[in-house]
Amino acid sequence: MAADEITRGTNRRTLLKGAAAIGAVAAGSQLLPGAARFAQAQSSAPIKVGFQVHRTGIGAAYGRWYDRTTKAAAKLINENGGINGRPVEIIAEDDGTDPKRGAEVIEKFANKHECDVAFGTLFSHVVIGSAPRAGELKLPYFVVSEGHHVASGMLNRYTLQPGITDVKSQVQSMAPWVADNLGKKVTMIYPDFAFGHDHRDYFSEAIERQGGNVIAKIAVPPRETSFFKYLPKIPKDTEVLYHVMVGPGVLTFVKEMGEYFGDDRPEIFGFIDSLEAVDIASPGLEFLEGSHFWEGYPRYAGPNQSEHDKFYRAAVGVDDNGASLSDPKDISTYAHMFGCWETLHILKAGMEAADYKGPKDRQALIEAVENMDVFPESQAHPQGSKLFNGRTHQAFAHQHISKVEGGKLVPVHKTSIFDTYYEDEVDYTKMSF
Amino acid sequence: MGAFFRVCALFTIFCIPARYALAHAQDSGIKLLLPTGYYLVGGTLAVAATVLIAAAMPPRWAETLFRERVLWQGRIPRIEIITSLIGAALLAVLIWVGLTGTRDPLENLLPLTVWTLWWVALPPLCALFGNLWALINPWSGVLALTGLGRGLVTLPQAVGMMPATLLLLCFAWFENVSLSPEDPEGLARVVAGYVVFTFIASILFGWEEWSRRGECFSVFFRFIARLAPVQFARDSGAVAIRAGFPGFAVLHGAAISISGALFILLALSTVSFDGLSKTFTWLDLIGINPLQFPGRSGVALPNTLGLVWAWIVLTVAFFTSIWAGRVLARGSGVPMAGRLALTILPISLAYHAAHYVTVLLVNGQYARNAAQRLVGVEETHVTTSFLNTIEDVEKIWQFQSGAIVVGHILAVLLAHTAILAVTGNRREAVTSGAPLAILMIAYTAFGLWLLAAPTGA
């Protein structure tokens, strides 16, 4: 992101505190290869990071890549001198993708493993179940969940989401490009529960701001695995079909959509969440050719690949197609997992800014991170620059729109960070510790 | 106040649904694209055709098919004491690793060994090579060496195999319903507790009795091993090795008790329910959004009840079919349940293989990595690409559906032969076996439907 965009944003939204802050955080977030090793620290005891990970349960497919990314980030941080000269130790505990178990794991981090912080998990219900316990135990809890629950004010001062944008940002930032390039008459087809409702509400509002409107909202009951009876409900004058189907029926949905529309179809826009970790060139997905997807971080390294992306892929072991280097058919959860990498680097920057020495400095760590406002694109932030709102504990970042061409996702648009921004819904800094 | 907030937090979790729910297409999604309906019809018809062929074929064919042959007789040193001692030592090390090693259940050797190598892989191995658990269990060696396993009191005959059956039910609950059965520390405590409990029970009732009626895994693996094409039997020092068509040993030997039948039905119903509990159908039935699975804590009560319900349904279906067979044939009145329950074993093994094959394929890689770490070799990255590509998912599906169909075909043949052996009359065998054959055909269809059904947990 260009520096002037950050500056303009600073003036317009008073999100940033000034160029000095940018410089300080930027310096803090840089990694210095070959920096002084752990011996320089007063204590060489490791910084213990409790890693709450979906090892089992419905989130296990994501957990596997979150684990891989986290290990790669920790390895890099340690190779570069650790945090405040101390090595990082990742202590992984399986949350079973379960909120009750998630809370138990937080307790273990605080009381049994004596972790300095907790970090990691993705699924919203686990975060929502764990955050209250982290607050009670006064354990900083850095989540990588995408949920709007952090910025909505639902959680507490100890829970932060600095390394990944939330779904509200992602959805609303799509509207300007969709309205300008695909069409203004949108039909939304979504699963009939909170996940789908969020998309419906956030996007309807955002597209209206762009002069478009949602002409039909088709809610599909979650138990459906065939969708033919819903497709005729799509109005004929639909210019863009926005779909966010999830679950095992997704592939059937795409197939049936192809059979229903044939060659005469509206523009199609979806979220990669539906097909994360699935090869776009899979048989049955041919119909998606020419359609567009939101991506948090482009799976395929395009011609404009940054050096940071190149470095990050190599460190995690991912090839230019977003697949594992050890198995080109093993597609990563590329649109999401960078959040672990970036969050660990923010943790490092925060601890160094707070001169973190142990659990008594946890409040200082929270305050240090709350005082951060920009994370420039770097090795630590390969997905791109981010603005961080200390009041809402939420990061804002560029989003990407990619087009399916030849069975690959080709990036066609990168949003402004300010397309993702929305007004504060909470000010956690006013809450006591 | 803290407790109040926790209650409020839990209430919040279940009232405010997760925004970011199941968002990942797994093999269940790809299976929906496969022509599983044809397999379901074809597989069910194949089992039905087997019933008809068995009914039509001369009785001696069945008898010949499952005839046993003695391969070898002689003396073999009691190596099972040594192997059991090694098993006990290894288990002690594993419990220690569970308590003190990495917290990650996919890196810690204890959960990998217990859930993947032992519970998933050992039953098929026993069905191929015989009762390996008798060799490596951690109790028999120590008890034989110390002389503590002779027993102090008699386990009442009236209880039959109910101790083993109830313990298997507890195990099934721990595996399928409890919150975190893979947690290394929690698992270490449970395993250690069960080992001590079994030692105490064996000292009290004697290892011979307890391993036959109380220690549920000895009972389970002994049953499963009866499917092996090679059978080892030791009788006061002399060993006989018999061979025959897989499952032949089911037909040779005494009938089992009603509690033994209940044990076998429970073994099948638990693995069936584990599959069922993940389907959209079950989740819908218990009021859970299948795209928004709340985690095990959110379904603990319905799944506890479901586990028992599945056992009751299968038991009622089985005994009703036996009763109906006797009524239809106006037959000899020989009790058949204790013989026919054994013929369910191939179905149980087939469900086990089909249900756990993906666990084996994924967690087997983690187990390999743990071994690589042990010997200092660089780890290989785990891959699950075979769950996301249509060619591989089709191969997995073919294995699963093949296992279900073959298991049921073998069960049908064994049941027919078992009834023939008692009645000696083909007409009576066909009539009295018809209800059970229908149940087996229905269970084939159910099994194939289960494997193809969309899952949300």
Side-chain angles (χ1 to χ4, degrees):
Chain A
M1 181 174 69
D4 61 337
E5 189 182 341
I6 294 179
T7 311
R8 273 190 284 113
T10 306
N11 294 336
R12 194 168 69 241
R13 299 175 190 275
T14 63
L15 188 62
L16 306 180
K17 294 189 177 65
I22 299 170
V25 178
S29 67
Q30 293 300 307
L31 291 166
L32 304 173
R37 303 291 298 183
F38 308 131
Q40 72 173 33
Q42 285 182 332
S43 162
S44 59
I47 299 273
K48 291 184 179 176
V49 177
F51 178 34
Q52 190 188 29
V53 57
H54 304 323
R55 278 311 225 174
T56 58
I58 53 168
Y62 279 99
R64 184 166 65 90
W65 283 101
Y66 267 43
D67 179 67
R68 205 161 144 174
T69 311
T70 296
K71 281 179 178 158
K75 181 168 175 271
L76 178 70
I77 288 171
N78 283 335
E79 282 170 1
N80 289 288
I83 295 177
N84 279 332
R86 294 165 62 188
V88 175
E89 182 186 354
I90 301 291
I91 299 173
E93 282 272 6
D94 174 30
D95 61 27
T97 328
D98 184 287
K100 185 162 178 258
R101 176 67 184 162
E104 285 179 9
V105 162
I106 292 292
E107 280 186 25
K108 281 174 129 186
F109 288 149
N111 300 332
K112 188 173 164 59
H113 304 314
E114 297 177 332
C115 290
D116 293 284
V117 295
F119 149 84
T121 215
L122 169 71
F123 273 54
S124 295
H125 63 314
V126 182
V127 171
I128 294 166
S130 305
R133 199 72 192 108
E136 286 171 355
L137 295 166
K138 302 189 185 305
L139 182 71
Y141 182 40
F142 291 79
V143 300
V144 190
S145 126
E146 287 191 321
H148 181 53
H149 36 255
V150 178
S152 72
M154 185 186 198
L155 304 179
N156 54 52
R157 189 148 189 195
Y158 283 88
T159 307
L160 305 101
Q161 186 156 249
I164 193 165
T165 48
D166 70 10
V167 70
K168 182 169 181 173
S169 285
Q170 295 165 1
V171 173
Q172 72 171 36
S173 68
M174 297 294 99
W177 191 87
V178 169
D180 290 347
N181 296 278
L182 300 181
K184 287 191 163 62
K185 287 183 179 173
V186 181
T187 291
M188 297 187 75
I189 185 162
Y190 52 87
D192 193 10
F193 70 101
F195 171 76
H197 299 166
D198 282 349
H199 274 268
R200 177 196 64 195
D201 298 342
Y202 298 148
F203 189 78
S204 300
E205 223 174 84
I207 198 81
E208 279 168 21
R209 286 201 295 270
Q210 304 301 320
N213 69 45
V214 176
I215 59 173
K217 297 172 182 175
I218 303 169
V220 179
R223 73 182 72 88
E224 289 288 358
T225 52
S226 180
F227 307 91
F228 277 126
K229 67 178 169 190
Y230 299 97
L231 297 173
K233 293 182 181 174
I234 298 168
K236 296 285 177 220
D237 57 342
T238 297
E239 292 170 352
V240 186
L241 180 64
Y242 181 114
H243 66 97
V244 282
M245 302 307 292
V246 290
V250 168
L251 303 177
T252 309
F253 172 72
V254 171
K255 179 171 161 272
E256 292 179 354
M257 203 162 54
E259 289 167 12
Y260 177 78
F261 283 118
D263 296 331
D264 182 24
R265 64 168 208 195
E267 293 286 353
I268 290 173
F269 181 84
F271 264 62
I272 199 63
D273 302 48
S274 305
L275 294 169
E276 188 75 313
V278 175
D279 190 349
I280 302 297
S282 297
L285 296 184
E286 298 86 353
F287 176 71
L288 292 175
E289 188 71 16
S291 72
H292 293 83
F293 276 100
W294 163 88
E295 286 194 287
Y297 191 178
R299 182 190 292 183
Y300 292 86
N304 301 322
Q305 184 188 24
S306 73
E307 57 175 309
H308 305 307
D309 179 64
K310 199 173 240 177
F311 179 87
Y312 164 73
R313 280 180 198 260
V316 180
V318 173
D319 68 15
D320 286 351
N321 297 329
S324 175
L325 285 173
S326 54
D327 177 3
K329 289 201 287 188
D330 187 18
I331 311 295
S332 69
T333 56
Y334 205 76
H336 298 86
M337 67 198 200
F338 71 88
C340 293
W341 175 282
E342 298 207 5
T343 303
L344 269 188
H345 283 93
I346 292 162
L347 186 62
K348 170 185 162 68
M351 283 185 159
E352 290 177 347
D355 192 22
Y356 183 90
K357 290 191 172 60
K360 66 176 174 42
D361 296 326
R362 282 172 179 163
Q363 290 182 16
L365 167 64
I366 300 276
E367 286 171 329
V369 177
E370 284 175 344
N371 281 325
M372 294 178 171
D373 32 37
V374 59
F375 308 124
E377 183 173 1
S378 60
Q379 223 173 60
H381 299 285
Q383 189 266 351
S385 300
K386 284 171 189 64
L387 298 179
F388 181 66
N389 185 341
R391 293 184 299 281
T392 63
H393 287 191
Q394 178 59 54
F396 298 86
H398 301 284
Q399 305 299 310
H400 299 266
I401 296 174
S402 301
K403 186 176 186 182
V404 181
E405 285 179 6
K408 289 187 173 188
L409 288 155
V410 179
V412 294
H413 177 65
K414 178 177 170 181
T415 73
S416 153
I417 289 183
F418 297 110
D419 289 339
T420 68
Y421 190 71
Y422 50 82
E423 294 303 322
D424 294 0
E425 295 169 25
V426 65
D427 186 352
Y428 285 117
T429 62
K430 289 192 176 147
M431 293 181 184
S432 69
F433 280 104
Chain B
M1 284 301 275
F4 173 75
F5 282 121
R6 273 199 293 280
V7 170
C8 289
L10 279 174
F11 181 77
T12 307
I13 295 159
F14 296 116
C15 292
I16 300 178
R19 285 185 177 80
Y20 193 99
L22 186 63
H24 177 68
Q26 294 180 340
D27 63 333
S28 161
I30 294 179
K31 270 187 189 165
L32 292 177
L33 299 179
L34 297 176
T36 51
Y38 292 121
Y39 284 84
L40 196 155
V41 174
T44 308
L45 287 177
V47 176
T50 309
V51 171
L52 297 177
I53 292 167
M57 70 186 185
R60 63 187 161 76
W61 285 16
E63 190 198 322
T64 309
L65 181 65
F66 292 110
R67 181 173 294 161
E68 67 174 13
R69 292 161 188 83
V70 177
L71 285 188
W72 183 82
Q73 277 180 312
R75 292 188 172 275
I76 297 179
R78 285 189 174 271
I79 55 160
E80 60 265 35
I81 294 177
I82 296 164
T83 51
S84 170
L85 288 173
I86 293 170
L90 281 176
L91 187 59
V93 171
L94 285 171
I95 290 171
W96 176 75
V97 168
L99 292 171
T100 61
T102 168
R103 302 292 84 213
D104 187 334
L106 297 180
E107 290 187 358
N108 190 296
L109 273 173
L110 178 71
L112 287 170
T113 306
V114 169
W115 294 120
T116 306
L117 302 180
W118 176 75
W119 186 238
V120 171
L122 192 58
L125 290 175
C126 286
L128 283 175
F129 304 112
N131 189 0
L132 301 172
W133 182 239
L135 294 179
I136 60 169
N137 77 80
W139 302 287
S140 59
V142 174
L143 291 166
L145 213 62
T146 57
L148 288 170
R150 298 190 193 98
L152 304 172
V153 292
T154 308
L155 183 65
Q157 284 303 319
V159 303
M161 285 188 182
M162 281 319 285
T165 308
L166 295 177
L167 284 170
L168 184 69
L169 183 62
C170 293
F171 170 75
W173 184 88
F174 176 61
E175 184 203 3
N176 299 314
V177 183
S178 74
L179 191 53
S180 47
E182 302 201 45
D183 175 58
E185 190 184 338
L187 182 61
R189 290 182 199 284
V190 169
V191 172
Y194 184 72
V195 168
V196 171
F197 169 78
T198 303
F199 269 124
I200 293 170
S202 302
I203 291 166
L204 208 56
F205 301 115
W207 170 246
E208 191 59 29
E209 273 306 294
W210 191 248
S211 68
R212 288 181 180 278
R213 297 198 282 141
E215 203 287 282
C216 57
F217 305 112
S218 294
V219 173
F220 176 76
F221 286 114
R222 185 179 289 120
F223 275 139
I224 288 294
R226 288 180 82 164
L227 296 171
V230 180
Q231 297 286 322
F232 300 82
R234 186 187 284 280
D235 185 14
S236 59
V239 170
I241 300 178
R242 295 183 174 84
F245 195 78
F248 79 94
V250 162
L251 301 171
H252 302 275
I256 56 171
S257 60
I258 294 296
S259 56
L262 289 175
F263 183 96
I264 290 173
L265 291 164
L266 177 63
L268 176 57
S269 71
T270 54
V271 74
S272 306
F273 179 72
D274 190 21
L276 178 69
S277 67
K278 294 176 171 61
T279 62
F280 274 33
T281 307
W282 174 261
L283 294 171
D284 204 29
L285 193 71
I286 62 172
I288 296 288
N289 176 352
L291 298 183
Q292 197 177 29
F293 185 65
R296 283 184 166 216
S297 63
V299 293
L301 180 62
N303 280 9
T304 301
L305 297 174
L307 199 64
V308 178
W309 166 82
W311 185 28
I312 293 171
V313 168
L314 187 61
T315 301
V316 169
F318 174 76
F319 283 102
T320 304
S321 71
I322 302 293
W323 169 81
R326 288 181 67 176
V327 171
L328 280 175
R330 296 186 194 90
S332 54
V334 178
M336 287 301 297
R339 292 197 173 278
L340 292 177
L342 287 167
T343 68
I344 290 173
L345 287 171
I347 302 176
S348 193
L349 178 70
Y351 265 75
H352 187 96
H355 182 68
Y356 289 114
V357 63
T358 50
V359 174
L360 186 64
L361 289 172
V362 177
N363 290 5
Q365 295 179 70
Y366 284 107
R368 176 203 62 202
N369 283 7
Q372 287 173 328
R373 271 195 302 280
L374 262 185
V375 296
V377 175
E378 195 183 346
E379 288 176 46
T380 318
H381 281 304
V382 169
T383 178
T384 56
S385 64
F386 46 82
L387 300 178
N388 284 321
T389 53
I390 200 155
E391 309 84 26
D392 293 332
V393 170
E394 190 164 17
K395 281 180 204 153
I396 291 170
W397 163 255
Q398 284 166 346
F399 169 80
Q400 290 174 317
S401 51
I404 293 289
V405 172
V406 169
H408 281 82
I409 285 176
L410 186 56
V412 162
L413 291 172
L414 284 170
H416 180 71
T417 314
I419 302 173
L420 267 179
V422 173
T423 63
N425 177 313
R426 191 175 74 186
R427 191 184 191 82
E428 193 181 332
V430 169
T431 320
S432 68
L436 183 62
I438 291 168
L439 179 62
M440 287 179 175
I441 293 167
Y443 219 73
T444 309
F446 170 68
L448 293 173
W449 169 82
L450 203 57
L451 289 168
T455 55

